[in-house]
Each structure stands twice: as structure tokens, then as C-alpha cells.
Amino acid sequence: MILAERVVLVSILATVCFGHTVGGTRIHTPYSKLTRDLLDGHDKHVFPANSTEDLLEVAFSISLDQIDELDEVHQKISLTAHIEQNWYNPHLSWNPADYDGITDIRLPADKVWLPDTVLYHNVGEKSGLLTSDVNVVVSHDGYVTWVVPSMLRASCQVDVTYVPFDTQRCILHFASWSYSKDLLTFVNDTVLLDSYKDNGEWMLLNADTVPFFASWTHRKQEMQGVSLVLVLKRHSHFCVLFKVVPFILVAAVSLLVFLLPVDSGEKISLVITNLLTLVLFYVEISDYFPGKDFPYLGK
């Protein structure tokens, strides 16, 4: 009897002190209490500003993981990156002393306000809006950090004039879709290459960010954002070895036709074989370039 009473007493103390569910009684932990206090009555659709004169600054950075593909024919680039955004939300702050010293907490991204950052000139299947089920990290001082793993696909104007010794410049534009520069602006934009993995076809020469402004005439407002500028140089060894050199050899063999005796009987068959080989090379190479352009090497 005494043992049973002690077990019940220990269970009650554990419930009160640690907030676990014991014997059907649920007591909230400091984390659950903080989550409830932050989200109860919190409207995720409300712009995080205390007054109409406040300008929200979003710190924007891109951690580039890999260049997946640069499609010359369809004029688009695909890459993998992690995009981090930080901003201040005065409605998501608390005193750590009131919650057992908790200084930060993870909250579902769909429960708080998020910037509607969009990849302009997006050519992917989705709308280009940066969305994710990844939690946001909220600090006690009201600063929110949101890191979104993204597969980005955007248009990129490719100049094939100097293929296979070409250098391409692709620009990806990021900005808010609905908030003008008077309400929201991007700051401290940086590119991180710590986790970057080399591409087998393209060498990354430079990655940088520059300010970007998008004007909408029908809205009569201007958005301020960030442009990611990528400078890529093609690894020409593969193209030279398996496309240029064989093409030159076939063309050189065609000249040897004039050295064959007239009565050899193999002259016509050699010419026809070389002609078919050149046609096949042209068909294969034409699949690598857009219809409006052709490199100097093939002119």
C-alpha cells in the first residue's frame, strides 16, 4: 500500500515538473506553453510591422549546392541551392525568463508570416514562389530565420558563338511578388559556396549578387530584390575530343579521295560513306544549339 502511494506521488510530481502526459492528465511544457502563447491570436496574413512607416528588411543569402544543367537549346538553367531569409517580426518575441530560459523555438512555416519571395523568369513546373514545409526558427528577440532547400529553374540567354570555348552568364532574379520597395527591401545579400559541388560540363568562375528592381506599370509600384549572377565556363575537353576532332578527321579523309586512282573502284563508295558520316555529325551537333544561333566553329 505504501509502495503504491509512492508511485502515484512520483507520477504526479513528474507531471507537474516536466509536463508529460501521465495517467491521462496533460500538463504543458515550457515549449508548448511558448508555442501556444506565440500562435494564439497570431494572424499569419498580417504584415509584421508596428506602423505604416516601418520598412521591413529581409536578409537574403544563397548557399549554392550544384549547377545541375545548362540547357542551350531551351535557354534555361537548373540548379540546387539553399535560400536563407531573415527578418524581424515584433509579434513573435518573448522574455526567456518567463519560459525557463528558452531563447529560440521552431515553428511550422505555415503558421507564421513569410515573405512572398518569387524567382522571376521561372521556367519550372511550380509558380516560382519559394515555399517549403521546413520549420522557421524564431529567436526571443523577434528575428525569424527560414532556410528553404530549393531546385531552381530559370531562363538563361545562352550565346553559342564561341562553343566549345564559351563562357556563359546567367542571372536569376528574386524579389517580393506583392510588397513594394516602400514596404519590403532585401539587404545583406550574399552567395555561399561552402557546399558547392563541381559540374562535369561547366566550371563556375564567379557567383555574386546585385540589386534588382522590378517595375509593374499596371500596379504603379516597384519591387526591390536580389539578382544572382553566375558566370560559367564550359569544360571544352570532352567536346573537342568527341565532336571536333572526329569531324576534322572525317573531313580530312574526304580529301584523300583525290589521291585514289581513278580505276580503284572504291572512290565513289568512300565519298558516299564520308558524306553520310558528315550528315550524321551535323544532325547530332544541331541538337545541342538553339535554332536561331550557330557557333563560329560550324560556319
Side-chain angles (χ1 to χ4, degrees):
M1 186 69 180
I2 297 178
L3 180 60
E5 292 177 353
R6 289 181 178 179
V7 171
V8 173
L9 181 59
V10 171
S11 300
I12 295 175
L13 289 175
T15 302
V16 173
C17 295
F18 301 103
H20 300 296
T21 301
V22 180
T25 303
R26 184 176 181 83
I27 302 298
H28 293 289
T29 65
Y31 282 102
S32 61
K33 183 178 184 299
L34 175 58
T35 302
R36 185 184 68 251
D37 291 347
L38 289 176
L39 298 182
D40 279 359
H42 177 75
D43 190 348
K44 67 178 182 179
H45 303 291
V46 176
F47 185 69
N50 288 324
S51 69
T52 56
E53 298 180 355
D54 289 347
L55 176 65
L56 180 64
E57 295 184 342
V58 178
F60 187 91
S61 65
I62 301 178
S63 178
L64 190 60
D65 295 329
Q66 187 173 12
I67 304 295
D68 298 321
E69 181 186 16
L70 178 56
D71 190 340
E72 296 98 328
V73 177
H74 298 98
Q75 304 278 291
K76 63 181 181 180
I77 185 173
S78 302
L79 55 92
T80 306
H82 287 75
I83 299 178
E84 179 176 333
Q85 299 179 86
N86 299 270
W87 64 92
Y88 174 68
N89 190 333
H91 310 303
L92 296 176
S93 60
W94 69 91
N95 184 359
D98 297 335
Y99 300 93
D100 285 3
I102 298 176
T103 56
D104 58 67
I105 192 171
R106 278 71 181 162
L107 297 176
D110 59 351
K111 299 296 184 181
V112 300
W113 182 91
L114 301 173
D116 58 345
T117 307
V118 172
L119 170 62
Y120 284 59
H121 309 299
N122 169 66
V123 295
E125 297 178 357
K126 298 182 179 180
S127 63
L129 181 67
L130 298 182
T131 58
S132 175
D133 295 331
V134 177
N135 292 338
V136 298
V137 180
V138 183
S139 179
H140 70 280
D141 53 7
Y143 282 91
V144 183
T145 301
W146 189 37
V147 182
V148 180
S150 305
M151 296 185 64
L152 306 173
R153 294 179 178 86
S155 59
C156 176
Q157 191 69 30
V158 179
D159 181 10
V160 298
T161 303
Y162 300 104
V163 172
F165 309 104
D166 56 325
T167 299
Q168 303 297 335
R169 188 170 181 263
C170 295
I171 304 178
L172 286 75
H173 303 295
F174 300 89
S176 172
W177 184 253
S178 60
Y179 295 102
S180 68
K181 65 179 182 180
D182 298 326
L183 294 174
L184 187 149
T185 182
F186 288 87
V187 297
N188 300 332
D189 41 284
T190 56
V191 182
L192 303 176
L193 301 176
D194 299 338
S195 59
Y196 179 74
K197 299 178 180 61
D198 292 329
N199 181 275
E201 186 177 2
W202 295 95
M203 178 192 306
L204 181 63
L205 296 182
N206 187 41
D208 202 0
T209 56
V210 295
F212 165 67
F213 295 92
S215 300
W216 299 99
T217 305
H218 62 284
R219 296 185 190 176
K220 297 182 180 180
Q221 60 183 359
E222 187 178 43
M223 279 68 173
Q224 184 271 334
V226 178
S227 293
L228 172 64
V229 183
L230 302 175
V231 181
L232 307 172
K233 181 177 178 60
R234 188 191 303 269
H235 291 293
S236 58
H237 307 84
F238 179 86
C239 189
V240 170
L241 185 60
F242 291 99
K243 290 185 174 64
V244 178
V245 172
F247 194 86
I248 293 175
L249 292 177
V250 172
V253 170
S254 299
L255 298 177
L256 297 179
V257 172
F258 298 101
L259 300 179
L260 291 177
V262 178
D263 57 350
S264 65
E266 299 295 335
K267 198 167 188 176
I268 296 179
S269 61
L270 180 60
V271 171
I272 294 176
T273 301
N274 283 341
L275 178 61
L276 292 175
T277 304
L278 289 174
V279 170
L280 290 176
F281 265 113
Y282 270 115
V283 171
E284 181 183 355
I285 291 176
S286 64
D287 292 338
Y288 287 90
F289 307 110
K292 66 175 183 178
D293 253 336
F294 209 72
Y296 277 145
L297 201 59
K299 294 181 180 180

